[in-house]
Amino acid sequence: MTRVIDVELGERSYAVHIGPGARTRLPAAVAATGARRAVVVTARGPGSVPDPGVPTRVVTAVDGEVNKNLTGVEALCRTFAESGLTRDDVVISCGGGTTTDLVGLAAALYHRGTPVIHLPTSLLAQVDASIGGKTGVNLPTGKNLVGTYWQPRAVLCDTDYLDTLPARERLNGYGEIARCHFIGAGDLRELPLHEQIAASVARKAEIVAADERDTGLRHILNYGHTLGHALERATDFALRHGEAVAIGTVFAGRLAGALGRIGPDRAAEHSAVVEHYGLPTRLPAETNARHLVDLMRRDKKATRGLAFVLDGPFGAELVRDVDEATVLDTLAAMPRVGR
Ligand code: GLY
């Protein structure tokens, strides 16, 4: 059965459809935009996207950070122009989070904003990347440094796409589902996958509706991400995003415990939840605590000192200016691979 969750943003509200066969709603979603033509950008090959019901040009994309750059945005915008797309038409993305981020940004910029519909095909994109309107590409100096907010007209999370997902790619998405446990989604561990996706999307929809532009509440979606982003960089992206966020979530629990924000049971719950999803809980053997702290100081949220989203008496919140010695001690006490 398909679940429908609304992202309530006034006249920019949209529905997220989740379940097997959700992609079959594409012609209706396109018709609702009033588009007369479409460009489909797909990383899943021919046949992955149903006929949108209007004249369509299909172009292929390749999922992956390496293609998520301004050159890719320009190439897509050129394709839109060559196809005669106007801002009353529609762009459709089909792929993982890197594809929905890239295509979303191209749609946001083309003719100063062209409707976009996302068909996310990875678990990570279904539970997080395709929802909430963040689009972006990388610069050589860092990930997602150029982007904008551009809400899609609809998101179709077809869980049939997940059937062929490699195990490690599935794990990548579980990293974001695991962190939902600590940001108000409740305990999702015993739910079937499509309900875990729906609950994660529902929590994200509430957060985005309350803070679309990431000025406060939306920061909590970055639970586990301060250390997570540092670990991705320290391992040269050998750790996938969700794996790194999982270790970052365990660390966030320990740090919140060390700062007296939560008790030992709640801190231990972090490892238990992460382990339940089959995700890593230990720091890679070769990582150096000082180097990780230096990387964490460069986090986008760290405008003052070291900043972490931490659990506490009032739930998760962004905590700035966290004492460096406590961070170093907590890193030193983390379990490490091989120890
Ligand atoms: N992925 C975090 C956000 O959408 O704000």
Side-chain angles (χ1 to χ4, degrees):
M1 203 190 85
T2 305
R3 291 274 309 274
V4 184
I5 290 157
D6 292 318
V7 183
E8 305 274 7
L9 289 166
E11 62 187 15
R12 289 172 297 108
S13 297
Y14 55 95
V16 182
H17 297 261
I18 301 155
R23 76 185 93 169
T24 59
R25 300 205 51 82
L26 184 64
V30 168
T33 69
R36 283 170 303 173
R37 71 188 74 202
V39 172
V40 168
V41 184
T42 178
R44 272 301 190 101
S48 57
V49 179
D51 183 347
V54 292
T56 298
R57 177 165 175 188
V58 180
V59 295
T60 53
V62 181
D63 277 333
E65 298 292 342
V66 76
N67 302 302
K68 203 178 116 172
N69 51 40
L70 286 167
T71 307
V73 172
E74 182 180 348
L76 285 177
C77 289
R78 282 175 183 253
T79 303
F80 301 160
E82 286 159 16
S83 309
L85 215 67
T86 73
R87 67 177 179 199
D88 292 332
D89 293 319
V90 67
V91 174
I92 297 158
S93 79
C94 176
T98 52
T99 295
T100 59
D101 279 1
L102 168 70
V103 178
L105 182 58
L109 296 176
Y110 184 71
H111 285 206
R112 299 195 180 83
T114 302
V116 64
I117 296 171
H118 295 309
L119 276 65
T121 60
S122 70
L123 184 56
L124 188 133
Q126 293 197 355
V127 296
D128 187 50
S130 67
I131 317 290
K134 277 191 183 175
T135 71
V137 294
N138 305 330
L139 292 179
T141 38
K143 274 178 72 175
N144 295 331
L145 294 186
V146 179
T148 187
Y149 294 90
W150 186 242
Q151 299 295 343
R153 294 296 183 93
V155 181
L156 309 179
C157 297
D158 191 330
T159 49
D160 289 340
Y161 284 129
L162 307 178
D163 291 347
T164 51
L165 215 57
R168 194 147 177 229
E169 189 51 55
R170 188 175 283 257
L171 209 55
N172 200 25
Y174 274 128
E176 300 288 13
I177 293 176
R179 68 83 160 93
C180 280
H181 187 105
F182 302 100
I183 60 169
D187 192 344
L188 311 179
R189 282 176 282 186
E190 300 311 322
L191 298 180
L193 180 60
H194 68 278
E195 287 186 26
Q196 290 174 337
I197 298 170
S200 304
V201 169
R203 183 62 187 132
K204 182 157 186 181
E206 283 170 358
I207 293 167
V208 168
D211 177 24
E212 182 186 8
R213 295 282 170 140
D214 208 358
T215 58
L217 182 68
R218 190 166 177 164
H219 296 342
I220 70 171
L221 290 166
N222 275 341
Y223 203 85
H225 283 57
T226 308
L227 180 60
H229 287 150
L231 285 171
E232 282 183 271
R233 300 208 43 196
T235 61
D236 221 359
F237 298 93
L239 271 180
R240 304 294 309 276
H241 179 71
E243 295 167 335
V245 165
I247 300 167
T249 296
V250 172
F251 173 75
R254 287 171 163 251
L255 184 59
L259 294 170
R261 296 175 55 85
I262 56 174
D265 288 354
R266 181 69 169 168
E269 197 175 325
H270 286 69
S271 304
V273 168
V274 166
E275 256 167 30
H276 171 87
Y277 289 104
L279 288 153
T281 56
R282 293 167 174 266
L283 285 178
E286 70 279 10
T287 46
N288 171 282
R290 168 51 58 193
H291 183 219
L292 290 174
V293 167
D294 289 344
L295 290 172
M296 289 193 283
R297 282 195 182 281
R298 287 186 234 153
D299 192 89
K300 281 207 285 283
K301 300 275 182 293
T303 48
R304 287 199 317 272
L306 285 162
F308 297 87
V309 181
L310 296 176
D311 200 4
F314 308 107
E317 62 184 330
L318 183 67
V319 182
R320 291 198 162 98
D321 267 333
V322 177
D323 173 52
E324 184 182 281
T326 311
V327 173
L328 282 167
D329 288 350
T330 308
L331 280 171
M334 280 282 285
R336 278 184 183 262
V337 173
R339 266 197 230 157

